[in-house]
Amino acid sequence: MGPPIRILLLEDDPAAPVLWRTFFAGQGDMELCGWVRDGWNGLEAVDRQRPDAVLMDLILPGMDGLEFLAALNRRQDRPAAVVASPLGNRVVIQRAAALGADYYFVKPVRLQSVADLLRALCGGGIAGYARQLLIEMGGTGLGLEAASAAAAELAGDRHMLLKEAYAPFIRRAHTNYGCVEKNIRKLTGRLHAEGSPAYRCLMGGLPPERPSNQIFLRLLSEAALERQAAGGEALPLR
């Protein structure tokens, strides 16, 4: 399997982490990486844990959920934010969306619906395999996240333009095409300079110069599809 989707729970109900940890463990591709009770500690946990998503209530002590969303939304490389709250007021829901919530569930929630949404938001499947491949090559940072997201889009449509493949990550990270292009180019430059065995495997040897983003991402998407077909196992070096 690919790397699990890492979820931070922001909820003041002490029964919630027990419920979600058990449920996510049963999903096989998800894990609860942390639990915090208030928004201030939530922001610190985002920096410390680097989760793929925050599953959160709005009713919190100290910094409430709306204040937390506003602070989270100002960050360039933020995790997905999914609200699960008993507050069903339309004005509150619209306010949460305006502050960056990716989805809003009104409690009680169907746990499987939350899991399915998290997979869609956090690039489970192909994006997860692409991310795993990049980590094996030594990839890190914003370039890694942008490249894995773009590779997943290209895997679904081999004729897609790069600007279309970048679009979902651009919206999520509140960035722009130039920034994504630059960070992926920086990533591939470093991977090429280091020339790890995993990078050489992807490229079929060490090219004489750094590959273009388009060539690299298309090879990455094909490798992620191969790894998915192999059940997540690393393929032998060519």
Side-chain angles (χ1 to χ4, degrees), residues 60-131:
L60 301 167
M63 175 189 281
D64 66 25
L66 292 176
E67 293 173 312
F68 172 84
L69 283 171
L72 188 69
N73 201 36
R74 289 192 289 268
R75 302 184 178 205
Q76 184 182 48
D77 185 18
R78 70 173 182 86
V82 175
V83 176
S85 174
L87 300 175
N89 182 280
R90 175 181 286 186
V91 174
V92 173
I93 294 173
Q94 290 176 340
R95 180 61 175 160
L99 290 173
D102 293 282
Y103 201 87
Y104 195 112
F105 289 98
V106 178
K107 291 181 179 179
V109 300
R110 181 173 173 268
L111 303 190
Q112 191 60 53
S113 295
V114 176
D116 292 343
L117 175 72
L118 288 169
R119 287 189 183 95
L121 289 174
C122 300
I126 296 300
Y129 292 118
R131 191 174 192 277

Side-chain angles (χ1 to χ4, degrees), residues 8 33-36 40-51:
L8 173 69
C33 67
W35 167 53
V36 287
W40 289 113
N41 285 319
L43 292 174
E44 293 179 0
V46 167
D47 291 335
R48 184 174 63 253
Q49 299 289 348
R50 304 294 293 174

Side-chain angles (χ1 to χ4, degrees), residues 177-214:
Y177 178 90
C179 182
V180 171
E181 180 78 0
K182 177 181 177 181
N183 276 279
I184 295 177
R185 186 166 59 247
K186 182 179 178 181
L187 169 73
T188 57
R190 185 164 60 80
L191 296 181
H192 183 78
E194 294 174 356
S196 70
Y199 174 78
R200 291 169 184 257
C201 175
L202 179 76
M203 302 304 301
L206 185 64
E209 58 185 22
R210 180 191 69 82
S212 68
N213 285 5
Q214 181 163 187

Side-chain angles (χ1 to χ4, degrees), residues 136-147:
E136 291 168 8
M137 293 180 226
T140 58
L142 186 62
L144 179 150
E145 302 300 342

